[in-house]
């Protein structure tokens, strides 16, 4: 027994396979449970000795990974495109494996180290995104990476684990920002007008509302001329941007739903004083027609 423990000590001191060590730790936990069920606790000291070897080495390897991500500089990684990065893929698979194992015999120290690793990976992704000059490209990169990590983690763990919840929040926030960004490119004037007038209405500021009247005619006619073409461009642009077809489809639907909401608010603003009697209101496209066009881009699955 002493010889075997000595051999394991040599092995663990030279081992850099964190998953293998963590698997050994959980095999030991299961053996302990089996032995206790059989009323044979005589090997507890042996199992505890092995755990005292494995846990420190495993924690050391996790800390090495954390420091490695912390020290990583995106400029040294060569060309970066908007697709999921191989480092985030490796992190997602590693984290999912550890989280999946840790669910059965949870260890708070391991949870703390995983949280540190996740924080460093999130910071690293932001550093990589900063390498892109345009905000739109940054958002696409972030969304693709968050979506990939979330997909891998959810496939291998419970849906409500801390890691998956965190990446869901990040993915939703950046997706919503992308939706606003892409709508601004085609309907920025209308969106700004709606927000400005809603603010004036909330404050009861009639003079501020009156000052916006000159924008209405070009906004209505501009929307009438370009809205179908703009929807088609948004559809093509969104579906080309994201590596996960399902995620791209959800973002597209979110963008088109948001467009309908903005256009509905536009109608509502124009029904208020001092705009209610303007002749240009007769040229407004019925919101039902916009909804019919949007439904053409709804997925069939």
């Amino acid at each position: 027994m002493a010889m075997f423990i000595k051999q394991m000590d040599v092995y663990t001191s030279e081992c850099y396979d964190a998953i293998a060590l963590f698997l050994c730790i959980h095999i030991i936990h299961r053996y302990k449970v089996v032995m206790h069920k059989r009323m044979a606790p005589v090997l507890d000291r042996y199992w505890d000795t092995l755990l005292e070897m494995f846990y420190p080495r495993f924690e050391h390897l996790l800390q090495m990974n954390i420091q490695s991500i912390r020290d990583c500089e995106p400029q040294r990684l060569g060309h970066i495109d908007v697709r999921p990065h191989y480092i985030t893929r490796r992190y997602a698979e590693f984290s999912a494996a550890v989280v999946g194992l840790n669910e059965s015999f949870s260890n708070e120290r391991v949870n703390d180290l995983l949280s540190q690793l996740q924080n460093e990976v999130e910071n690293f992704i932001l550093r990589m995104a900063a390498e892109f000059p345009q905000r739109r490209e940054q958002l696409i990169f972030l969304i693709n990476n968050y979506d990939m990590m979330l997909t891998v983690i959810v496939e291998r763990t419970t849906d409500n684990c801390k890691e998956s919840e965190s990446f869901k929040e990040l993915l939703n926030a950046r997706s919503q920002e992308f939706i606003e960004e892409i709508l601004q490119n085609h309907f920025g004037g209308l969106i700004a007008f709606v927000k400005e007038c809603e603010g004036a209405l909330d404050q009861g500021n009639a003079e501020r509302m009156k000052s916006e009247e000159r924008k209405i005619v070009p906004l209505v006619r501009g929307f009438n001329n370009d809205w179908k073409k703009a929807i088609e461009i948004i559809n093509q642009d969104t579906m080309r941007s994201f590596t996960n077809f399902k995620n791209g489809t959800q973002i597209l639907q979110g963008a088109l739903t948001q467009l309908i909401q903005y256009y509905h608010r536009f109608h509502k603003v124009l029904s208020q004083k001092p705009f209610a009697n303007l002749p240009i209101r007769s040229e407004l496209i019925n919101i039902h027609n916009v909804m019919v066009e949007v439904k053409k881009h709804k997925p069939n699955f």
Side-chain angles (χ1 to χ4, degrees):
M1 192 77 75
M3 183 183 71
F4 183 73
I5 289 175
K6 185 177 180 180
Q7 288 178 334
M8 292 305 298
D9 190 27
V10 173
Y11 167 76
T12 54
S13 65
E14 298 175 351
C15 179
Y16 288 88
D17 189 342
I19 300 297
L21 287 174
F22 206 48
L23 277 170
C24 289
I25 287 169
H26 279 264
I27 289 170
I28 291 170
H29 281 308
R30 282 165 171 76
Y31 273 132
K32 285 185 72 174
V33 171
V34 170
M35 297 302 287
H36 278 235
K37 284 181 178 178
R38 295 177 180 177
M39 306 296 289
V42 66
L43 288 176
D44 278 3
R45 185 175 176 184
Y46 168 69
W47 300 130
D48 291 340
T49 301
L50 291 180
L51 290 175
E52 288 170 5
M53 292 180 190
F54 290 148
Y55 263 122
R57 182 62 181 176
F58 173 71
E59 291 178 8
H60 176 66
L61 294 180
L62 272 179
Q63 289 167 340
M64 288 176 66
N65 278 299
I66 291 167
Q67 190 62 45
S68 175
I69 293 293
R70 185 180 295 140
D71 295 340
C72 187
E73 298 178 6
Q75 297 87 350
R76 296 183 178 181
L77 298 175
H79 175 69
I80 301 174
D81 59 30
V82 296
R83 292 173 295 180
H85 198 268
Y86 69 89
I87 290 179
T88 57
R89 178 81 194 191
R90 290 176 182 176
Y91 158 75
E93 292 175 348
F94 176 81
S95 179
V98 175
V99 170
L101 287 169
N102 203 44
E103 286 173 347
S104 53
F105 293 92
S106 183
N107 182 292
E108 284 305 313
R109 175 61 178 159
V110 173
N111 287 332
D112 291 342
L113 289 169
L114 284 175
S115 295
Q116 292 178 39
L117 180 60
Q118 181 180 339
N119 289 335
E120 292 301 332
V121 168
E122 289 175 7
N123 292 334
F124 172 67
I125 293 171
L126 293 176
R127 294 200 300 274
M128 284 198 292
E131 295 295 302
F132 295 97
Q134 297 180 355
R135 183 57 180 166
R136 179 181 173 279
E137 291 178 319
Q138 293 175 5
L139 290 171
I140 293 171
F141 175 81
L142 291 171
I143 290 168
N144 279 331
N145 278 275
Y146 291 149
D147 176 64
M148 180 275 296
M149 290 189 290
L150 178 61
T151 300
V152 171
I153 291 171
V154 168
E155 282 177 354
R156 293 166 171 79
T157 65
T158 56
D159 191 38
N160 60 348
C161 73
K162 187 173 73 171
E163 287 77 10
S164 65
E165 290 299 319
S166 175
F167 285 122
K168 278 179 188 176
E169 291 176 8
L170 290 168
L171 177 61
N172 290 338
R174 297 292 77 80
S175 296
Q176 192 57 44
E177 186 179 348
F178 177 83
I179 287 170
E180 293 293 332
E181 178 89 8
I182 201 169
L183 289 178
Q184 281 288 340
N185 292 339
H186 301 281
F187 305 102
L190 184 146
I191 293 169
F193 174 84
V194 167
K195 290 180 178 179
E196 183 70 22
C197 289
E198 286 178 340
L201 281 169
D202 290 341
Q203 297 169 8
N205 192 333
E207 287 299 319
R208 188 169 150 200
M209 288 280 287
K210 191 70 176 174
S211 68
E212 295 292 315
E213 185 175 328
R214 57 186 174 80
K215 301 177 183 178
I216 295 174
V217 171
L219 282 175
V220 171
R221 290 178 178 166
F223 183 88
N224 292 353
N225 291 333
D226 300 331
W227 69 279
K228 284 187 178 182
K229 182 180 177 183
I231 287 176
E232 186 58 38
I233 292 172
I234 289 172
N235 173 62
Q236 294 176 5
D237 195 21
T238 303
M239 298 311 296
R240 280 197 304 262
S241 296
F242 301 106
T243 52
N244 183 339
F245 179 79
K246 183 178 179 181
N247 184 48
T249 302
Q250 289 174 344
I251 291 174
L252 173 63
Q253 293 305 306
L256 297 179
T257 300
Q258 188 76 344
L259 171 61
I260 290 173
Q261 290 174 354
Y262 276 129
Y263 193 60
H264 176 71
R265 288 158 64 184
F266 184 60
H267 271 252
K268 188 175 179 180
V269 166
L270 294 189
S271 67
Q272 306 294 318
K273 292 181 180 180
F275 309 140
N277 296 321
L278 292 177
I280 191 65
R281 290 190 66 229
S282 64
E283 298 182 27
L284 282 170
I285 292 176
N286 192 298
I287 195 168
H288 177 73
N289 294 338
V290 179
M291 294 175 69
V292 168
E293 186 67 23
V294 162
K295 285 181 179 179
K296 294 179 183 179
H297 300 277
K298 189 173 183 180
N300 295 321
F301 57 88

